[in-house]
Amino acid sequence: MVPSSSGLCRVGGEPVPGVGTYEDFNTIDWVREKSKDRDRHPRGKIATKSKESTWALVKGISDAFSGWLLMLLIGLMSGALAGGIDISAHWMTDLKEGVCLNGFWFNHEHCCWSSNETTFQERDKCPQWKSWAELIIGQSEGPFAYIMNYLLYVSWALLFAFLAVSLVRAFAPYACGSGIPEIKTILSGFIIRGYLGKWTLIIKTITLVLAVSSGLSLGKEGPLVHVACCCGNILCHLFTKYRKNEAKRREVLSAAAAVGVSVAFGAPIGGVLFSLEEVSYYFPLKTLWRSFFAALVAAFTLRSINPFGNSRLVLFYVEFHTPWHLLELLPFVLLGIFGGAWGAFFIRANIAWCRRRKSTRLGHYPVLEVLVVTAATAVLAFPNGYTRMSTSELISELFNDCGLLDASQLCTYANGSEPKSGGNALPDRPAGAEVYSAMWQLALALLFKVLVTVVTFGMKVPSGLFIPSMAVGAIAGRLLGVAVEQLAYYHHDWVIFRGWCSPGADCITPGLYAMVGAAACLGGVTRMTVSLVVIMFELTGGLEYIVPLMAATMTSKWVADAMGREGIYEAHIRLNGYPFLEPKEEFSHKTLAMDVMRPRRGDPPLSVLTRDGMTVEDVEGLIADTTYSGFPVVVSHESQRLMGFVLRRDLIISIENARKRQDGVVSSSRIFFAEYTPPQPASSPAPLKLRGIMDLSPFTVTDHTAMDIVVDIFRKLGLRQCLVTHNGRLLGIITKKDILKHMAQIANRDPDSILFN
Amino acid sequence: MVPSSSGLCRVGGEPVPGVGTYEDFNTIDWVREKSKDRDRHPRGKIATKSKESTWALVKGISDAFSGWLLMLLIGLMSGALAGGIDISAHWMTDLKEGVCLNGFWFNHEHCCWSSNETTFQERDKCPQWKSWAELIIGQSEGPFAYIMNYLLYVSWALLFAFLAVSLVRAFAPYACGSGIPEIKTILSGFIIRGYLGKWTLIIKTITLVLAVSSGLSLGKEGPLVHVACCCGNILCHLFTKYRKNEAKRREVLSAAAAVGVSVAFGAPIGGVLFSLEEVSYYFPLKTLWRSFFAALVAAFTLRSINPFGNSRLVLFYVEFHTPWHLLELLPFVLLGIFGGAWGAFFIRANIAWCRRRKSTRLGHYPVLEVLVVTAATAVLAFPNGYTRMSTSELISELFNDCGLLDASQLCTYANGSEPKSGGNALPDRPAGAEVYSAMWQLALALLFKVLVTVVTFGMKVPSGLFIPSMAVGAIAGRLLGVAVEQLAYYHHDWVIFRGWCSPGADCITPGLYAMVGAAACLGGVTRMTVSLVVIMFELTGGLEYIVPLMAATMTSKWVADAMGREGIYEAHIRLNGYPFLEPKEEFSHKTLAMDVMRPRRGDPPLSVLTRDGMTVEDVEGLIADTTYSGFPVVVSHESQRLMGFVLRRDLIISIENARKRQDGVVSSSRIFFAEYTPPQPASSPAPLKLRGIMDLSPFTVTDHTAMDIVVDIFRKLGLRQCLVTHNGRLLGIITKKDILKHMAQIANRDPDSILFN
């Protein structure tokens, strides 16, 4: 597991730079990292002098508080960035349609606020806001103006998308996508240098705004998690404790992921649960509390920025007031089934498309691909009001319960009955012609979103799929909600409606259906459960609606799981060949460690080092001949009794260093791993003592250990490799990659799809 | 870890009853239990015939759904029981003061509901409700009536307490206390037979009502967790999957603990987090989702019972509407410091008292103790209105924001300004004389609660300390809140109040202070963090107040931790000597496995079995001479190469069984653990093959492994013992008890305080 603490990272008393670090695209050893952190604390010795002890106390306190300070900083920075992204994206989205005469930096809503002339109903048609056609040719109506606006809408979209993809390609290729699959992999112990660096942060923030504004079918919620993790990673550099330790840093990143969701949905508790349930691998309870703190700080920072001018953290915050009826669970479960089916379809289609991108020439023209998809999206989106508006606005409108003052097309019911006094809710009424036309437009928008999202997710721009998934579900839910509402209105004498849907009563809330549909679709795609329900609960603010949400989410997960085990993030991890050992999936096969370990029967024996029988030359030959990332050390080839484990990287660095610095170390020098070096004859070259780099406590299992136990050990302890023994003799080795290959083989997948170790 | 799957629990092909089970007061082996569960699923083989495969599918689905069904049942049962307890306790608490003429089964509030004559203000003085003095001597006023009521109040309290303690002593000694320390220990893998049995459930439910009604300073919230866990354990017997597997059953119990908190505080999310943060040991993500489901079912069951007639799950649900000011964080932090100090004081005082009970003659008279404490509590409580009412009602009144119609003594402010129209809130006003007298009474109540709670918790009746702790904090908070309010009223021109506390403005909410104080005190005693904040958040329903709650809880935890590391539950676990390996505490000493393992230097060598060198007599002698719960099996005494591990219990059962059933097995029979038994000479007695009971994959670590890693392995994998090797040779053994003793030694505690293994 770790070299003995006295000799950690040292050879001959002096630390060798590089020993104990990792290469890019490698997996860390959690146990080793945790031990390194322990070695930092000199708690074994108790300071004798009171002055020293005061100093130690101060250091101890500052050490403990550095974690909290870091959380505070991450919260502040992520909250501020999220606010900036929200405001810029809002403004640039509106820029596609027109500009504000009071000042070009106002968005549509803001522009109309500052004009005092308009009444509440006409807020959207204020004179200061000019569409491009109005500004350029002076016409706001007519086919010519429409075409003008259309063309400018598409041009702006293309410009934004082009800028986004160019910036990503030029400065930070890691800034594309949602980032959550990679963050999951990184949190599980993988190293991708630069993935959470400052360039990625800067470019991702800018291009995220551009991509969202271009009108592509993508959201900013997933990428916000990446942005928050970048903040966390960068701020880690301020504190030695976190900069130098990969395990500690991952604790911070888990908290940062919670922060990301907290600012994306205004849901601090949901964010923490998301981090716990979905992305984190190692989540000690201390992290839970700190994550919660960071998530709250971020949420309050964002709220004080107030990007939407409604004191809310998200555009689609709602408050429902009408209760739901037990019979409504049936349509909610239907929405769950739809969500599950959509999730399974989306994952298959998207993975197939991404595989095609990887394997065909399509992948060679990422800029062209983005431009074509953007052009298609913009051209198809403009004519339909529901696709032209930003997806967040669409969701907000769909979630919204029709109030008295609502001017939305979705709320133009026939004035069948008198509005009730007080309250926001209106009784059920027959839908007017405009509602029917809105239904048609929504149905088309549904089809459009379903198709376009499949090709959008995975392009070389920052793209999240929370919002598009929610939009699909919200449209389906609203359609179903209005249908049930009209059914209840026209057939309130049916048995099922009798009692709770009398005429004039307000019994169906189509907005709630939209919300339940959104949860179901998001659940189908990501397979989130508790965190999803809690996020939705925080969006509505009422415990009342947890049951519908839960019913839909549960159904959706079951349906989606029946059609394909993996969520979208796991599917993308597998597509990219990252070494990720899914902590949720149960390993249920009865294979034993001996079936998985290498060498297999018939293979050449395991390459091992011996305690004192090898020269520098022998070892260099072994290194040159093999590509293994580490070698077990045994007492002798005959006994095969295990002493320890040496990492290839440490071995290379140490030998190189000794050859340069240490007098008398030549090719024929003998290498000793034993504690005591026997006296050497005077003629022989100086020996090289390498006990310091040897891990004296490698993990071992016996060859009869069931593989599910081995998998459990790897997951829970975060191992990279484990040695296999039989009756006390070394027999073989199992690495994380071996396990992943074995699991792929069992699932009838290509075992070579796992690319890294 | 586990005998090879082919030979699990079998000797000579036939399963031996008893092999693979545990004795009372022993720790389970998690790895072994999980493997047993895996062996239940024959997924290795794929059914060939379609009929079989359909059957397997049906079985698989019913298997998967049995877990959900179990959760549903636990939710329904616990919710119903909690509702029953609430209603009965409410009624019996009121019975101490009087009776309803409309029907003796009505409680005070219910009685007055049914009377139509009274107005809202006089609701509490309805003619149907008669105090005992009124009923017996026809007087409701005057010193004689007061003494009469006083005496009857004390008598009822003594009767209830006597019944409670007698029932506990006679039928279910495990029903006493809060149960949470024991549940934590059980969830960590310990076995206490009958602790979660049906007698405990029945007696705990009845005595809980009696104890709460007797007016003792205790709450029903902690015991409700025990009740829910009993429900979970009993319902487990309906499903083979959970009945037979100790690990699976503990997953259910974790969910049941969440259910308990969910019904206790009406906080399903908080309950799940409580289970995750505070009580659970092994909490896979699947459990998270199921716990959430069960917690919701329970909450909705309880709500449909509607025990308080307010559609809420708890008496002290509140909704605040006024915002808080950043400067108010200062008094909130002060409340946090108070809470932390109270927590640390309470734990020390309570543990000292419990230790005294254990070690002196006090412990021999539990009934007398309960009666004396009850009498003292009742005598002291009656004269003060705030201690006479039930603690839940007290908390409810303290949390409550003074509204326009409030008739409470705490809200009789001088009519300094006109009430604002609309809304529940009133502007700050000078306190009237009644408020000052209420303050005095509250201060006395605070002193009373602090002292009485220390001696109450730990008596032989069911007793929770959530409610008494919250009451202490709520009183302190309300006192501080009123003080700040008056300060702001009289000095609204001070710099700190300027701007937000102008006269007539409603700037201080004393109820919020009470709530923050309650959270701080509860946090100080239990050291809960996230779950506490979420529970409080669910009680208030506003994200707005999370920051004050968080500031107070955080301060409280820091202050309390600085004065003593342990929470009350850990302290009681240690007091009882249970083998509990705290998952939160970090092990930060630099000892190695060789410092902890047995045999120590100078001790006789480790008792081992050999592969084929021992006879039945030898082994029986070894069993008789030692008390170890298991023996390693080595190839030979000379090589000390480890083959496996055999548990003492399995060994005894198998030899006994073989002597009875197997022909020719006598004392001189040789025992074989090898895979192949060499041919025996015809004259020798029949050999006994015991490979089947040997665990072929025992966990091993090397002697150089740092103890923090060993502790980590024990915690994460739930081990009972681990073997220590050096260069492939067996050197010693480390058990959970050894680790706990080592940790006690390091912390300068008595290592012999750990009683069980």
Side-chain angles (χ1 to χ4, degrees):
Chain A
M1 289 166 256
V2 73
S4 72
S5 55
S6 59
L8 180 76
C9 311
R10 282 155 203 266
V11 178
E14 261 176 62
V16 175
V19 168
T21 61
Y22 301 94
E23 277 174 79
D24 204 1
F25 293 105
N26 253 291
T27 303
I28 67 163
D29 189 329
W30 283 90
V31 179
R32 177 169 156 158
E33 292 299 309
K34 275 184 251 168
S35 286
K36 260 165 71 181
D37 182 55
R38 179 207 52 189
D39 286 337
R40 221 173 39 84
H41 301 287
R43 289 190 214 165
K45 299 173 203 159
I46 294 159
T48 41
K49 288 175 198 165
S50 82
K51 199 176 168 186
E52 269 180 34
S53 105
T54 314
W55 178 234
L57 188 75
V58 170
K59 265 186 82 174
I61 290 175
S62 82
D63 193 76
F65 275 79
S66 70
W68 289 99
L69 182 62
L70 180 56
M71 290 298 140
L72 180 73
L73 293 175
I74 293 173
L76 290 172
M77 186 167 169
S78 308
L81 275 176
I85 290 172
D86 280 342
I87 292 171
S88 328
H90 208 160
W91 172 69
M92 283 173 66
T93 302
D94 288 348
L95 195 66
K96 285 188 301 185
E97 301 195 25
V99 74
C100 186
L101 292 187
N102 287 351
F104 70 92
W105 57 87
F106 289 126
N107 65 36
H108 192 162
E109 201 183 340
H110 206 158
C111 184
C112 295
W113 271 352
S114 42
S115 90
N116 301 318
E117 302 155 49
T118 52
T119 63
F120 189 75
Q121 263 87 350
E122 287 177 334
R123 207 176 54 176
D124 282 358
K125 292 164 196 144
C126 60
Q128 280 81 1
W129 180 260
K130 297 279 182 213
S131 72
W132 291 112
E134 229 172 321
L135 203 71
I136 299 169
I137 57 170
Q139 280 182 312
S140 67
E141 303 284 323
F144 196 60
Y146 185 83
I147 290 167
M148 186 90 197
N149 279 331
Y150 202 156
L151 281 177
L152 272 158
Y153 180 92
V154 176
S155 314
W156 277 112
L158 282 170
L159 175 66
F160 293 156
F162 178 74
L163 279 175
V165 69
S166 311
L167 282 171
V168 166
R169 274 177 62 81
F171 298 103
Y174 286 145
C176 68
S178 91
I180 293 181
E182 283 78 10
I183 287 167
K184 278 188 81 160
T185 316
I186 289 174
L187 285 178
S188 83
F190 198 56
I191 291 186
I192 310 179
R193 292 211 194 288
Y195 198 85
L196 301 173
K198 59 178 179 304
W199 275 107
T200 309
L201 175 63
I202 296 167
I203 296 301
K204 185 129 195 175
T205 309
I206 297 170
T207 54
L208 179 56
V209 172
L210 289 165
V212 169
S213 314
S214 73
L216 280 165
S217 178
L218 47 81
K220 61 179 174 44
E221 277 65 13
L224 271 180
V225 174
H226 189 180
V227 166
C229 283
C230 288
C231 293
N233 188 49
I234 291 165
L235 290 168
C236 271
H237 285 279
L238 299 178
F239 303 90
T240 333
K241 180 176 169 184
Y242 296 100
R243 182 174 64 233
K244 293 210 175 151
N245 194 295
E246 296 286 345
K248 295 299 277 181
R249 205 191 299 175
R250 274 163 181 76
E251 286 178 27
V252 175
L253 293 180
S254 290
V259 168
V261 173
S262 169
V263 290
F265 291 102
I269 303 172
V272 173
L273 287 173
F274 173 81
S275 176
L276 174 69
E277 186 188 355
E278 192 61 28
V279 298
S280 291
Y281 195 83
Y282 170 67
F283 203 92
L285 282 167
K286 209 169 59 181
T287 311
L288 191 73
W289 187 216
R290 291 194 177 171
S291 306
F292 191 51
F293 173 71
L296 266 183
V297 171
F300 278 83
T301 309
L302 181 57
R303 207 176 68 169
S304 57
I305 294 173
N306 199 0
F308 303 108
N310 61 356
S311 290
R312 298 298 179 188
L313 299 166
V314 279
L315 206 52
F316 38 91
Y317 180 94
V318 270
E319 273 185 52
F320 296 127
H321 296 281
T322 42
W324 55 275
H325 193 271
L326 212 62
L327 279 174
E328 285 187 275
L329 278 180
L330 184 72
F332 294 150
V333 165
L334 282 179
L335 284 174
I337 295 172
F338 172 78
W342 147 257
F345 160 77
F346 175 79
I347 292 168
R348 285 206 189 175
N350 181 256
I351 291 296
W353 183 254
C354 287
R355 216 177 276 285
R356 167 170 296 256
R357 185 186 291 129
K358 271 195 150 178
S359 57
T360 65
R361 295 190 56 191
L362 183 67
H364 299 299
Y365 308 104
V367 179
L368 191 66
E369 185 196 355
V370 170
L371 289 180
V372 168
V373 173
T374 311
T377 307
V379 167
L380 291 171
F382 188 84
N384 185 339
Y386 291 108
T387 49
R388 195 196 310 172
M389 63 174 74
S390 80
T391 319
S392 304
E393 272 176 75
L394 171 63
I395 294 174
S396 168
E397 187 153 344
L398 292 169
F399 280 9
N400 195 21
D401 201 6
C402 286
L404 280 172
L405 299 170
D406 251 309
S408 156
Q409 202 188 0
L410 276 171
C411 295
T412 47
Y413 288 84
N415 286 321
S417 54
E418 280 293 292
K420 277 192 290 186
S421 63
N424 195 38
L426 287 179
D428 285 350
R429 285 171 301 167
E434 277 203 70
V435 174
Y436 284 110
S437 104
M439 290 298 108
W440 274 112
Q441 288 180 38
L442 280 179
L444 286 174
L446 179 64
L447 195 69
F448 167 77
K449 288 273 173 198
V450 165
L451 295 178
V452 154
T453 308
V454 169
V455 294
T456 305
F457 189 71
M459 289 198 311
K460 294 279 171 229
V461 286
S463 57
L465 48 63
F466 281 24
I467 289 287
S469 291
M470 283 173 74
V472 166
I475 297 173
R478 187 85 191 198
L479 289 173
L480 185 63
V482 172
V484 174
E485 185 194 41
Q486 295 304 313
L487 198 72
Y489 177 78
Y490 286 111
H491 303 281
H492 48 73
D493 48 348
W494 283 7
V495 172
I496 48 165
F497 294 122
R498 206 174 292 158
W500 60 288
C501 258
S502 48
D506 178 35
C507 56
I508 309 279
T509 314
L512 177 62
Y513 283 70
M515 170 154 264
V516 170
C521 283
L522 188 49
V525 172
T526 60
R527 311 290 159 89
M528 285 154 64
T529 53
V530 185
S531 47
L532 178 59
V533 173
V534 173
I535 288 172
M536 287 297 181
F537 158 67
E538 288 186 81
L539 281 181
T540 55
L543 209 60
E544 188 78 28
Y545 304 105
I546 282 197
V547 173
L549 288 169
M550 190 146 185
T553 316
M554 211 138 86
T555 318
S556 153
K557 187 172 158 62
W558 282 339
V559 169
D561 275 352
M563 296 193 211
R565 290 294 306 173
E566 292 175 320
I568 184 75
Y569 300 129
E570 286 81 49
H572 271 265
I573 286 173
R574 196 157 56 73
L575 184 74
N576 290 324
Y578 296 131
F580 182 73
L581 202 51
E582 176 59 57
K584 271 175 270 183
E585 216 174 300
E586 267 179 48
F587 184 89
S588 55
H589 281 265
K590 290 194 179 174
T591 42
L592 297 179
M594 61 171 122
D595 305 326
V596 179
M597 72 172 192
R598 285 179 309 172
R600 299 288 162 85
R601 223 161 281 180
D603 284 358
L606 193 66
S607 303
V608 294
L609 303 173
T610 58
R611 180 164 59 175
D612 46 17
M614 294 176 90
T615 61
V616 169
E617 205 173 9
D618 293 341
V619 173
E620 281 175 338
L622 188 66
I623 291 171
D625 292 345
T626 60
T627 56
Y628 305 133
S629 53
F631 303 94
V633 181
V634 294
V635 173
S636 68
H637 277 294
E638 297 71 43
S639 75
Q640 288 286 338
R641 274 167 33 206
L642 181 69
M643 282 189 72
F645 192 81
V646 175
L647 286 178
R648 179 196 187 85
R649 183 178 161 88
D650 292 353
L651 202 58
I652 294 173
I653 294 175
S654 302
I655 291 178
E656 223 165 70
N657 185 66
R659 274 190 184 264
K660 269 189 221 151
R661 309 259 167 92
Q662 215 172 314
D663 279 342
V665 171
V666 291
S667 295
S668 62
S669 292
R670 278 177 74 188
I671 290 183
F672 285 94
F673 290 103
E675 208 159 348
Y676 305 106
T677 322
Q680 300 288 312
S683 64
S684 65
L688 178 52
K689 295 177 206 165
L690 288 184
R691 190 180 174 84
I693 62 163
M694 181 169 70
D695 177 356
L696 287 170
S697 46
F699 269 92
T700 56
V701 293
T702 68
D703 53 347
H704 276 89
T705 311
M707 267 314 285
D708 63 337
I709 295 175
V710 177
V711 170
D712 215 40
I713 299 174
F714 267 80
R715 272 182 200 148
K716 288 200 176 141
L717 303 177
L719 299 187
R720 234 170 95 116
Q721 72 274 320
C722 182
L723 298 168
V724 182
T725 60
H726 175 74
N727 288 0
R729 287 178 199 275
L730 180 66
L731 210 68
I733 188 170
I734 296 179
T735 64
K736 195 169 174 180
K737 196 173 173 176
D738 293 331
I739 291 183
L740 288 164
K741 279 187 169 180
H742 179 68
M743 287 167 91
Q745 225 158 12
I746 285 175
N748 285 322
R749 292 187 307 235
D750 176 22
D752 292 325
S753 64
I754 290 105
L755 297 178
F756 310 101
N757 192 6
Chain B
M1 291 164 255
V2 75
S4 73
S5 54
S6 57
L8 179 74
C9 312
R10 281 155 207 268
V11 178
E14 262 176 62
V16 176
V19 167
T21 60
Y22 302 94
E23 277 173 78
D24 202 4
F25 293 105
N26 254 291
T27 303
I28 66 163
D29 189 329
W30 284 88
V31 179
R32 175 169 158 158
E33 292 300 308
K34 276 185 250 167
S35 285
K36 261 164 69 179
D37 183 55
R38 179 208 54 190
D39 285 337
R40 222 172 38 84
H41 300 287
R43 288 190 214 167
K45 297 175 204 159
I46 293 159
T48 40
K49 288 177 198 160
S50 82
K51 200 176 168 186
E52 270 180 33
S53 108
T54 313
W55 177 235
L57 189 74
V58 169
K59 265 185 83 173
I61 290 176
S62 81
D63 194 74
F65 275 79
S66 69
W68 290 100
L69 181 62
L70 181 56
M71 290 298 141
L72 180 73
L73 292 176
I74 292 174
L76 290 173
M77 187 166 167
S78 308
L81 275 177
I85 289 171
D86 280 341
I87 292 172
S88 327
H90 208 157
W91 173 69
M92 283 174 66
T93 303
D94 288 348
L95 195 65
K96 284 187 301 182
E97 300 195 26
V99 74
C100 186
L101 293 187
N102 287 350
F104 70 93
W105 58 87
F106 288 126
N107 66 36
H108 192 162
E109 201 182 343
H110 206 154
C111 183
C112 296
W113 268 354
S114 43
S115 91
N116 300 317
E117 302 155 50
T118 52
T119 63
F120 190 75
Q121 261 89 348
E122 288 177 335
R123 208 176 53 178
D124 283 357
K125 292 166 197 144
C126 58
Q128 280 78 5
W129 180 260
K130 296 282 182 212
S131 72
W132 290 113
E134 230 174 320
L135 203 70
I136 299 171
I137 57 168
Q139 278 182 314
S140 68
E141 302 283 322
F144 195 60
Y146 186 82
I147 291 169
M148 186 89 200
N149 279 332
Y150 202 154
L151 281 177
L152 273 158
Y153 179 90
V154 176
S155 313
W156 277 112
L158 283 170
L159 175 66
F160 292 158
F162 178 73
L163 278 175
V165 69
S166 309
L167 282 172
V168 165
R169 273 177 63 81
F171 297 104
Y174 286 146
C176 69
S178 92
I180 294 181
E182 283 78 12
I183 287 167
K184 278 187 81 161
T185 316
I186 289 174
L187 285 177
S188 83
F190 198 56
I191 291 186
I192 310 179
R193 293 213 193 288
Y195 199 85
L196 301 172
K198 59 178 178 305
W199 275 107
T200 310
L201 174 63
I202 295 169
I203 296 300
K204 186 132 195 174
T205 310
I206 296 171
T207 55
L208 179 56
V209 173
L210 289 166
V212 169
S213 314
S214 73
L216 280 165
S217 179
L218 47 81
K220 60 178 175 44
E221 278 63 15
L224 271 180
V225 174
H226 188 180
V227 166
C229 284
C230 287
C231 294
N233 188 50
I234 291 166
L235 291 168
C236 271
H237 285 281
L238 298 178
F239 302 91
T240 332
K241 182 176 171 186
Y242 296 100
R243 184 175 59 232
K244 292 209 175 153
N245 196 295
E246 296 286 345
K248 294 300 275 182
R249 205 192 300 178
R250 274 163 182 74
E251 287 178 26
V252 176
L253 293 180
S254 291
V259 168
V261 174
S262 168
V263 290
F265 291 103
I269 302 171
V272 173
L273 287 173
F274 173 81
S275 176
L276 174 69
E277 187 188 355
E278 192 61 29
V279 298
S280 290
Y281 196 83
Y282 170 66
F283 203 91
L285 283 166
K286 209 168 60 182
T287 310
L288 193 72
W289 187 214
R290 291 194 176 172
S291 305
F292 192 49
F293 173 71
L296 267 182
V297 170
F300 277 84
T301 308
L302 181 56
R303 207 176 68 171
S304 56
I305 294 175
N306 198 1
F308 303 109
N310 61 354
S311 290
R312 297 298 179 188
L313 298 167
V314 278
L315 206 52
F316 39 91
Y317 180 95
V318 270
E319 274 186 52
F320 296 127
H321 297 281
T322 42
W324 55 275
H325 193 270
L326 212 60
L327 279 175
E328 285 187 277
L329 277 181
L330 184 72
F332 294 149
V333 165
L334 282 180
L335 283 175
I337 294 172
F338 172 78
W342 148 256
F345 160 75
F346 175 79
I347 292 168
R348 284 205 189 179
N350 182 253
I351 291 295
W353 184 255
C354 287
R355 217 178 274 286
R356 169 171 293 257
R357 184 184 292 131
K358 271 196 151 179
S359 57
T360 65
R361 295 189 56 190
L362 184 67
H364 298 300
Y365 307 104
V367 178
L368 190 66
E369 185 196 355
V370 170
L371 289 180
V372 168
V373 172
T374 311
T377 309
V379 167
L380 291 171
F382 188 83
N384 187 337
Y386 291 108
T387 48
R388 196 195 311 173
M389 63 173 74
S390 81
T391 320
S392 305
E393 273 176 74
L394 171 65
I395 294 174
S396 167
E397 185 152 345
L398 292 169
F399 280 9
N400 195 22
D401 202 4
C402 287
L404 279 173
L405 299 170
D406 250 310
S408 156
Q409 202 188 2
L410 276 170
C411 294
T412 47
Y413 288 85
N415 287 321
S417 55
E418 280 293 291
K420 276 192 292 187
S421 62
N424 195 37
L426 287 179
D428 285 349
R429 286 171 300 167
E434 277 203 70
V435 174
Y436 284 111
S437 105
M439 290 297 108
W440 274 112
Q441 288 179 35
L442 279 179
L444 286 175
L446 178 64
L447 195 70
F448 167 76
K449 288 273 173 198
V450 164
L451 295 178
V452 154
T453 308
V454 169
V455 294
T456 305
F457 188 72
M459 288 199 310
K460 294 277 170 234
V461 286
S463 57
L465 48 64
F466 282 24
I467 289 287
S469 292
M470 285 173 73
V472 166
I475 297 174
R478 188 82 191 202
L479 290 173
L480 185 64
V482 172
V484 174
E485 185 194 41
Q486 294 306 313
L487 198 72
Y489 176 78
Y490 287 111
H491 302 283
H492 48 74
D493 48 346
W494 283 8
V495 171
I496 49 165
F497 295 122
R498 207 176 289 157
W500 61 288
C501 259
S502 50
D506 178 36
C507 56
I508 309 279
T509 314
L512 177 62
Y513 283 69
M515 168 156 264
V516 169
C521 282
L522 188 49
V525 172
T526 60
R527 312 291 159 86
M528 287 155 64
T529 53
V530 185
S531 47
L532 178 59
V533 174
V534 173
I535 287 172
M536 287 295 180
F537 158 67
E538 289 186 81
L539 280 182
T540 56
L543 210 59
E544 188 78 26
Y545 303 105
I546 282 198
V547 173
L549 288 170
M550 192 148 183
T553 316
M554 212 138 86
T555 318
S556 154
K557 186 172 158 63
W558 283 338
V559 170
D561 276 351
M563 296 193 209
R565 291 295 305 173
E566 291 173 320
I568 184 75
Y569 300 129
E570 287 80 49
H572 271 266
I573 286 174
R574 196 156 56 72
L575 184 74
N576 292 324
Y578 296 131
F580 181 73
L581 203 52
E582 177 57 57
K584 272 174 269 185
E585 215 174 301
E586 265 180 50
F587 184 90
S588 55
H589 282 264
K590 290 193 178 175
T591 42
L592 298 178
M594 59 172 122
D595 305 325
V596 179
M597 71 172 192
R598 285 179 310 169
R600 300 288 164 83
R601 223 160 281 178
D603 284 357
L606 193 65
S607 303
V608 293
L609 303 174
T610 58
R611 182 164 55 176
D612 45 16
M614 292 175 93
T615 61
V616 168
E617 205 172 8
D618 294 341
V619 173
E620 282 175 337
L622 189 65
I623 292 172
D625 291 347
T626 60
T627 56
Y628 305 133
S629 53
F631 303 95
V633 181
V634 294
V635 173
S636 66
H637 277 295
E638 297 71 42
S639 75
Q640 289 286 337
R641 274 167 36 206
L642 182 69
M643 282 189 72
F645 192 79
V646 175
L647 286 178
R648 179 196 187 82
R649 183 179 161 86
D650 293 354
L651 203 56
I652 294 173
I653 294 175
S654 302
I655 292 179
E656 224 165 72
N657 185 66
R659 274 190 185 263
K660 269 189 222 151
R661 307 258 168 93
Q662 216 171 314
D663 281 341
V665 170
V666 290
S667 295
S668 60
S669 292
R670 278 176 75 185
I671 290 182
F672 285 94
F673 290 103
E675 207 159 346
Y676 305 106
T677 321
Q680 301 289 312
S683 61
S684 65
L688 177 53
K689 295 178 206 165
L690 289 183
R691 191 180 175 84
I693 61 163
M694 181 168 69
D695 177 357
L696 287 169
S697 47
F699 269 94
T700 56
V701 295
T702 70
D703 53 345
H704 277 88
T705 310
M707 267 314 285
D708 63 337
I709 295 175
V710 177
V711 171
D712 215 38
I713 298 174
F714 266 79
R715 271 181 199 149
K716 287 198 177 143
L717 302 177
L719 298 189
R720 235 170 93 118
Q721 72 273 320
C722 182
L723 298 168
V724 182
T725 61
H726 174 74
N727 288 2
R729 287 177 201 275
L730 179 66
L731 210 66
I733 188 168
I734 296 179
T735 64
K736 196 168 174 182
K737 195 171 173 178
D738 293 331
I739 292 183
L740 288 165
K741 280 186 168 182
H742 179 67
M743 288 167 90
Q745 224 157 15
I746 286 174
N748 284 323
R749 289 188 309 235
D750 176 23
D752 292 325
S753 64
I754 289 106
L755 296 178
F756 309 101
N757 192 7

